[in-house]
Amino acid sequence: RLSGNEFTRALHLHQEEALHSIIRENRNVIVATGTGSGKTECFLYPILDALLKETPEQRNRPGVRALLVYPLNALANDQLYKRIVPLFIGCYPEANIRVGRFTGLTRDDANRNHVEQDILSSDPWMSALFGNSIPANWQLTRQEMLSTPPHVLITNYAMLEHLLLFPKNSALFQP
């Protein structure tokens, strides 16, 4: 969960160096440091920076901009609920950055209203953040993501293989 000092606290040296290399020098980096040391910021902030630099016209173009592949659903969910949604949707609602999680937990027959109510009733933090309605740019169903691909797609390696193999999912990666 994002704290009030998310953007005002001093960065760790590895974060500062990674962000400088990625954003200013357009270089690839590998960040290897301990659990809980801030690796997530090293890739989320550059993604956010790139999306915020897009014009509204560019942002309206279809296509996934960032593919976040996690080894386990538990980690994907933790990052989605505690970091990605609060940052991209909670802190920057006017940017209309679309975020979606496409895992085995994202059922084919899901109805947005039901998924939305499940999230809001089971997670007090999400309810506190969004009230009675989750913004439409947090895409909750497979149908939403296939019709208008999210800018940030969260998945796991098993589902990524599924997404790439079946033609019905090709809309996520077009154009």
Side-chain angles (χ1 to χ4, degrees):
R1 319 239 163 163
L2 297 179
S3 64
N5 67 351
E6 182 73 19
F7 300 112
T8 58
R9 70 165 177 77
L11 295 171
H12 297 294
L13 181 60
H14 70 276
Q15 292 173 318
E16 188 176 331
E17 290 174 347
L19 294 173
H20 179 83
S21 294
I22 297 167
I23 294 171
R24 291 216 173 118
E25 298 175 8
N26 199 28
R27 292 179 38 214
N28 295 321
V29 301
I30 295 175
V31 178
T33 185
T35 301
S37 62
K39 291 182 293 294
T40 300
E41 290 84 353
C42 294
F43 65 86
L44 282 187
Y45 289 176
I47 293 168
L48 178 62
D49 178 69
L51 288 167
L52 291 175
K53 286 177 180 173
E54 286 187 348
T55 66
E57 179 183 279
Q58 291 170 320
R59 201 169 304 119
N60 283 333
R61 291 185 199 144
V64 172
R65 310 304 199 276
L67 178 62
L68 305 179
V69 182
Y70 290 98
L72 303 168
N73 280 345
L75 184 55
N77 292 337
D78 184 66
Q79 291 289 299
L80 177 72
Y81 288 100
K82 293 181 181 176
R83 305 293 307 184
I84 297 166
V85 164
L87 178 62
F88 288 79
I89 297 174
C91 291
Y92 293 93
E94 72 286 347
N96 202 29
I97 296 169
R98 292 185 306 276
V99 173
R101 176 198 65 192
F102 206 119
T103 68
L105 299 173
T106 315
R107 296 185 8 227
D108 253 338
D109 60 349
N111 171 289
R112 179 178 175 86
N113 290 333
H114 291 126
V115 176
E116 184 174 4
Q117 289 314 306
D118 285 347
I119 291 169
L120 293 173
S121 65
S122 65
D123 190 332
W125 170 249
M126 290 293 119
S127 183
L129 186 61
F130 297 120
N132 295 324
S133 178
I134 291 175
N137 55 321
W138 180 2
Q139 297 176 304
L140 303 174
T141 69
R142 290 183 180 196
Q143 293 78 19
E144 289 174 292
M145 288 181 267
L146 290 171
S147 67
T148 308
H151 298 110
V152 180
L153 178 64
I154 297 104
T155 192
N156 57 52
Y157 65 90
M159 185 56 75
L160 179 59
E161 180 180 28
H162 172 81
L163 292 172
L164 294 172
L165 286 177
F166 293 99
K168 72 177 184 175
N169 301 321
S170 65
L172 286 169
F173 305 105
Q174 300 292 330

